Amino acid sequence: LTEVHLGCEDAGEQVRWFLDAYEDAKKLKNEGVDVRGITSWACLGLYDWSILLLEDRNDYEPGMFDVKENCKPTLLNKAIKALSKGKQFYD
């Protein structure tokens, strides 16, 4: 799965969205589907993606890092780190 991202104000919702996609991918892999990975979109966040870059609103959505906060790791970062180590993550 590529570009798994939910643009929203609530970091917990963003993590839940990613975890749902992760669990679905894991289930499909266990059923024999050739799943190779899952990718968070976008690692450093997005500017104006909510309006498909049609206007310059400087509208920012954080990803695994929040570059508006001096490249601060987000809750999504913590979740993906846990999953990459084979651990479960609960927000």
Side-chain angles (χ1 to χ4, degrees), residues 22-23 26 79-89:
Y22 177 83
E23 290 300 324
K26 200 163 82 170
I80 292 172
K81 269 186 169 178
L83 296 174
S84 71
K85 294 177 182 178
K87 299 177 182 176
Q88 292 189 337
F89 183 83

Side-chain angles (χ1 to χ4, degrees), residues 8-37:
C8 64
E9 300 280 330
D10 183 348
E13 270 306 302
Q14 192 179 41
V15 169
R16 281 187 282 284
W17 180 268
F18 189 87
L19 292 176
D20 282 348
Y22 177 83
E23 290 300 324
D24 288 344
K26 200 163 82 170
K27 180 181 176 216
L28 290 169
K29 185 170 180 72
N30 289 337
E31 292 174 1
V33 176
D34 185 18
V35 176
R36 307 271 175 122

Side-chain angles (χ1 to χ4, degrees), residues 11-74:
E13 270 306 302
Q14 192 179 41
V15 169
R16 281 187 282 284
W17 180 268
F18 189 87
L19 292 176
D20 282 348
Y22 177 83
E23 290 300 324
D24 288 344
K26 200 163 82 170
K27 180 181 176 216
L28 290 169
K29 185 170 180 72
N30 289 337
E31 292 174 1
V33 176
D34 185 18
V35 176
R36 307 271 175 122
I38 181 169
T39 305
S40 172
W41 174 261
C43 185
L44 300 176
L46 321 138
Y47 278 96
D48 293 332
W49 192 247
S50 61
I51 53 169
L52 301 176
L53 304 173
L54 295 174
E55 297 175 28
D56 185 12
R57 292 187 190 169
N58 204 31
D59 181 28
Y60 178 72
E61 302 170 33
M64 289 179 59
F65 296 90
D66 186 340
V67 298
K68 281 193 157 188
E69 296 290 328
N70 206 16
C71 211
K72 176 183 168 189
T74 63

